Amino acid sequence: MITASHNKVTDNGVKIADPSGGMLSQDWEPFSDQLANEPDPQSLVSLIEEFVKKERIPFNGKHPAEVLLGRDTRPSGESLLEAAKQGISAVVGAVAHDMGILTTPQLHWMVRARNKGLKATESDYFEQLLSSFRCLMNLIPDRGTSNETEDKLIVDGANGVGGEKLEVIKEKLNELDIEVRNSGKEGGVLNEGVGADFVQKEKVVPHGFGSNHAGIRCASLDGDADRLVYFLVPPNNCSKIDLVDGDKILSLFAVFIKEQLSILEEDTKGSNNYKARLGAVQTAYANGASTYYLRHLGLEVALAPTGVKFLHEKAAQYDIGIYFEANGHGTILFSERFLSWLEDKNQELSSTHEGSEQKKAALRLLAVSKLINQAVGDALSGLLLVETILRHMGWSIHQWNALYQDLPSRQLKVKVGDRTAVVTANAETVAVKPPGIQEAINVETAKYPNGRSFIRPSGTEDVVRVYAEASTQEAADKLANSVAELVDRFLGFRSS
């Protein structure tokens, strides 16, 4: 996939989907980095030959390979895609398929579907999303209708490919009143003052939103549509927003799925019962209030190191694993074993309990497994699932946002001489090196009610990132600053 995601339009890059449809296996990352940084063609060929030999890859054309290519709406995408096609055609037995302009999650979905022997065109993607969405809508309990303001959804498309694709979905849907802003057709610039990354980090309204949107449910996609956040424009301050981030999306999904599993478990007379293991996976950056809320629900909450690949891997250990980063990237994974049981259970209920609540719960869970993109985080499928669950629960965005109150937090970064001097454990929540720094952080953290702080080295630059949260913003700021000073004292240039 040729995209630079939420970066500015002048940037571009490549995201590689694994044959499973997920992100590139971590085993291949060092080779990919070397490949991208080789200085000349001969070095590149030598590296490939060396890797082929080391990995014993049959390189004789007897094992055909198909590579699906997609790009987003960046002007540089066309020439880069052409270069990729030429590179692929230089490999004996390899065929490149240009799938056109796509969201990143669409390409991941296509790879996953194709390798499962399923239909995998863009129209198949839309058909699966819309049919499972309608199934969930048809199973919503009758609670009367909400007012017009609640029915309307306004989406910021980041002037990217997601806005274009949402327009396609909108044309096929009568059940949702969606207005797409910043679709890319109005002449706006990709990710400039718009998009999920901008909204989540700056906590301000994207371009094209203002006081006339106060109280209306709003959402924002990122440039390649793999992130989703919701937001509210307050009536008294139209520049700032009430952010409904990835932690709140995870919580909404968890409440709904837990409810359906509980209904299924009520069928004690059935011969085919199964206690599904449901888990939520977060990083240390997840707001502490969300983790407390999920645990209070009775959910198993696991922590993974920062990065979607780690969250995805951890979530795959559950029958149903839900993961989200606060930035809005996440999805739900269903194990093959659980889906196989659910299909059997659905068949059993068809003959014994047709029309029962258990039957409806089974159908809802099956529909969710098809609506959500299990290959990777997908803003379009996530948005449709949020909308159905809000209607199912009879909740407004205000009620959803009130599930819990985020603890105030602060993030800082400290420039250091060598970021590798910081070594962390327990999903990056504990610093084991340099010696003594974690004990010093613990002393500072204990000074503040609901205090929590951790440090982790950046993956790309010589800085150490500091995260702190506490019961007030002033306390979170003070804790972050004191921990930053500790990092500076142990590792830095005496400046933070």
Side-chain angles (χ1 to χ4, degrees), residues 37-110:
N37 289 298
E38 285 302 327
D40 56 66
Q42 190 50 52
S43 302
L44 182 73
V45 172
S46 298
L47 175 69
I48 293 169
E49 287 176 340
E50 182 187 319
F51 188 78
V52 165
K53 192 174 176 183
K54 179 186 161 196
E55 295 293 324
R56 296 180 180 154
I57 296 170
F59 214 41
N60 49 20
K62 290 179 184 173
H63 298 266
E66 295 179 63
V67 183
L68 309 190
L69 289 167
R71 64 183 177 92
D72 68 11
T73 53
R74 290 162 208 270
S76 57
E78 202 169 345
S79 59
L80 287 170
L81 188 131
E82 189 54 44
K85 278 158 77 172
Q86 289 184 31
I88 292 159
S89 65
V91 180
V92 178
V95 179
H97 297 287
D98 182 355
M99 309 305 285
I101 293 175
L102 300 171
T103 69
T104 294
Q106 281 183 313
L107 187 81
H108 281 266
W109 183 93
M110 288 172 181

Side-chain angles (χ1 to χ4, degrees), residues 431 434-448 453 455 479 482-487 489-490:
I437 196 166
Q438 185 60 52
E439 289 75 10
I441 292 170
N442 294 345
V443 169
E444 290 302 317
T445 304
K447 295 176 183 177
Y448 302 94
S453 183
I455 62 170
L479 177 55
S482 61
V483 173
E485 285 170 15
L486 286 172
V487 172
R489 197 165 81 219
F490 274 79

Side-chain angles (χ1 to χ4, degrees), residues 253-491:
F253 290 175
V255 167
F256 178 75
I257 288 174
K258 190 171 186 297
E259 179 190 84
Q260 304 317 306
L261 288 174
S262 298
I263 293 168
L264 269 180
E265 285 166 12
E266 287 170 13
D267 179 29
T268 52
K269 294 173 186 172
S271 60
N272 181 15
N273 291 320
Y274 181 90
K275 179 78 174 171
R277 190 170 167 229
L278 169 63
V281 186
Q282 297 183 305
T283 71
Y285 283 105
N287 194 276
S290 73
T291 309
Y292 176 82
Y293 174 78
L294 291 166
R295 286 186 171 140
H296 193 66
L297 271 182
L299 251 72
E300 188 177 331
V301 181
L303 282 185
T306 305
V308 173
K309 59 192 174 189
F310 300 114
L311 289 158
H312 195 96
E313 188 180 311
K314 193 79 175 172
Q317 295 172 11
Y318 293 91
D319 289 310
I320 307 174
I322 314 171
Y323 73 83
F324 264 87
E325 292 185 304
N327 63 25
H329 194 143
T331 190
I332 308 171
L333 302 182
F334 291 79
S335 74
E336 292 294 340
R337 182 182 171 209
F338 175 73
L339 285 177
S340 176
W341 171 82
L342 192 58
E343 293 279 7
D344 291 345
K345 186 68 179 174
N346 184 45
Q347 291 298 319
E348 179 191 297
L349 290 165
S350 295
S351 57
T352 59
H353 293 75
E354 188 64 47
S356 68
E357 287 306 309
Q358 284 82 16
K359 170 71 175 173
K360 289 175 187 173
L363 287 171
R364 286 186 191 113
L365 288 172
L366 285 169
V368 170
S369 75
K370 293 181 174 69
L371 174 55
I372 201 74
N373 189 336
Q374 292 192 58
V376 73
D378 185 336
L380 299 181
S381 72
L383 182 137
L384 292 177
L385 185 54
V386 166
E387 292 302 309
T388 58
I389 295 175
L390 289 177
R391 280 162 177 72
H392 174 90
M393 307 300 286
W395 287 355
S396 67
I397 188 171
H398 303 271
Q399 288 166 293
W400 173 24
N401 195 32
L403 285 180
Y404 59 82
Q405 191 71 40
D406 276 340
L407 286 166
S409 64
R410 175 67 63 212
Q411 294 186 46
L412 300 173
K413 56 184 183 180
V414 184
K415 194 161 179 57
V416 296
D418 177 14
R419 68 181 186 272
T420 63
V422 174
V423 178
T424 62
N426 297 356
E428 301 175 322
T429 57
V430 176
V432 294
K433 286 184 182 177
I437 196 166
Q438 185 60 52
E439 289 75 10
I441 292 170
N442 294 345
V443 169
E444 290 302 317
T445 304
K447 295 176 183 177
Y448 302 94
N450 294 321
R452 182 169 75 92
S453 183
F454 65 90
I455 62 170
R456 59 179 285 268
S458 164
T460 54
E461 52 185 328
D462 271 328
V463 299
V464 170
R465 302 189 185 281
V466 174
Y467 178 89
E469 66 185 26
S471 52
T472 67
Q473 190 61 59
E474 183 186 8
D477 291 347
K478 282 183 176 177
L479 177 55
N481 283 320
S482 61
V483 173
E485 285 170 15
L486 286 172
V487 172
D488 196 35
R489 197 165 81 219
F490 274 79
L491 296 155

Side-chain angles (χ1 to χ4, degrees), residues 165-329:
K165 303 303 182 184
L166 191 56
E167 291 280 14
V168 175
I169 288 173
K170 181 185 166 183
E171 284 173 21
K172 299 172 185 285
L173 273 185
N174 299 320
E175 297 91 339
L176 283 184
D177 180 8
I178 300 177
E179 179 186 330
V180 184
R181 290 285 176 97
N182 307 321
S183 67
K185 295 175 184 171
E186 305 98 329
V189 178
L190 176 72
N191 293 329
E192 194 171 289
V194 293
D197 191 62
F198 172 79
V199 169
Q200 190 251 339
K201 281 193 169 66
E202 303 300 326
K203 295 183 175 58
V204 296
V205 293
H207 177 74
F209 288 72
S211 57
N212 55 325
H213 299 114
I216 299 174
R217 193 169 66 259
C218 300
S220 188
L221 321 176
D222 75 331
D224 66 338
D226 63 359
R227 294 183 184 185
L228 168 72
V229 295
Y230 275 70
F231 64 94
L232 271 165
V233 182
N236 53 353
N237 183 357
C238 64
S239 62
K240 288 289 180 183
I241 58 163
D242 291 332
L243 179 68
V244 187
D245 64 6
D247 292 334
K248 286 261 169 81
I249 294 173
L250 188 161
S251 299
L252 180 71
F253 290 175
V255 167
F256 178 75
I257 288 174
K258 190 171 186 297
E259 179 190 84
Q260 304 317 306
L261 288 174
S262 298
I263 293 168
L264 269 180
E265 285 166 12
E266 287 170 13
D267 179 29
T268 52
K269 294 173 186 172
S271 60
N272 181 15
N273 291 320
Y274 181 90
K275 179 78 174 171
R277 190 170 167 229
L278 169 63
V281 186
Q282 297 183 305
T283 71
Y285 283 105
N287 194 276
S290 73
T291 309
Y292 176 82
Y293 174 78
L294 291 166
R295 286 186 171 140
H296 193 66
L297 271 182
L299 251 72
E300 188 177 331
V301 181
L303 282 185
T306 305
V308 173
K309 59 192 174 189
F310 300 114
L311 289 158
H312 195 96
E313 188 180 311
K314 193 79 175 172
Q317 295 172 11
Y318 293 91
D319 289 310
I320 307 174
I322 314 171
Y323 73 83
F324 264 87
E325 292 185 304
N327 63 25
H329 194 143

